[in-house]
Amino acid sequence: VGKSTLLNHILGQKLAITVVDYQWFFNARIHPDGFQEYGHAQALLDDERRSRFITNVYVPFLNALKRRPGVVEKLILVNEPEHLLQKNAAAPTRFNEQGVMVDVGHPSNEAIPMEQLKQIVRELAKVAHDTLPDLPVTVASKDAESLVDEWAYLGPDRTQNLDLLTYNHYTE
């Protein structure tokens, strides 16, 4: 029994899994512990690399979820993509040893047009629907305003092929 299945059984809860966070798109930098942070934008922005990402990473991931039915409630394709509409728009945060969220600097990113972000979401949604037709997919907007402005369009493509409209709410 996998850990996620066991967690589901113990807690009676399903998981919401995020495929890609907006921080993926930041320029690469080396973490003080020696590993690369960020720097994965071209895996989704470049058409050929996106195709390889979908084939070699995303589809196997979805197939693994298929073997564990009932564990995942929804798939968040991209978390807070609206941060990417502006160059150098959002600083990542991390929890320190005391459990306090701290800003870890402001890595750069290039501005990405919303239509390009929507195209990436449409492709990821289509593959997810083809592989796991009963698993709802969504984008987690950074706030309710972005959700309405960017993702709540009800058109012929079923809300950008999203099954749910989701946003993150933070309190101060």
Side-chain angles (χ1 to χ4, degrees), residues 27-151:
N27 292 334
R29 71 176 185 192
I30 302 302
H31 186 275
D33 291 338
F35 61 87
Q36 177 184 312
E37 291 184 294
Y38 322 117
H40 306 290
Q42 291 307 311
L44 291 175
L45 295 177
D46 179 81
D47 292 343
E48 184 179 321
R49 289 181 183 181
R50 183 169 58 251
S51 177
R52 289 196 314 256
F53 170 81
I54 288 171
T55 300
N56 298 324
V57 177
Y58 188 52
V59 169
F61 167 72
L62 293 173
N63 285 331
L65 293 181
K66 192 187 294 188
R67 293 189 300 271
R68 292 161 184 85
V71 174
V72 178
E73 178 181 56
K74 66 182 172 186
L75 198 60
I76 300 167
L77 302 174
V78 184
N79 184 51
E80 300 188 0
E82 302 86 5
H83 288 299
L84 301 169
L85 297 174
Q86 299 174 9
K87 184 174 181 165
N88 305 331
T93 56
R94 191 173 283 125
F95 289 100
N96 66 16
E97 295 80 23
Q98 292 77 36
V100 176
M101 189 176 284
V102 294
D103 186 333
V104 296
H106 209 88
S108 60
N109 68 279
E110 295 302 316
I112 301 170
M114 179 50 88
E115 198 46 51
Q116 188 173 13
L117 290 172
K118 287 181 178 180
Q119 180 58 36
I120 291 166
V121 166
R122 281 192 286 270
E123 286 183 42
L124 295 176
K126 181 180 182 332
V127 172
H129 286 136
D130 290 349
T131 308
L132 293 162
D134 294 331
L135 181 64
V137 299
T138 189
V139 167
S141 286
K142 67 181 182 135
D143 53 39
E145 182 179 351
S146 298
L147 174 69
V148 171
D149 290 348
E150 305 299 349
W151 301 103

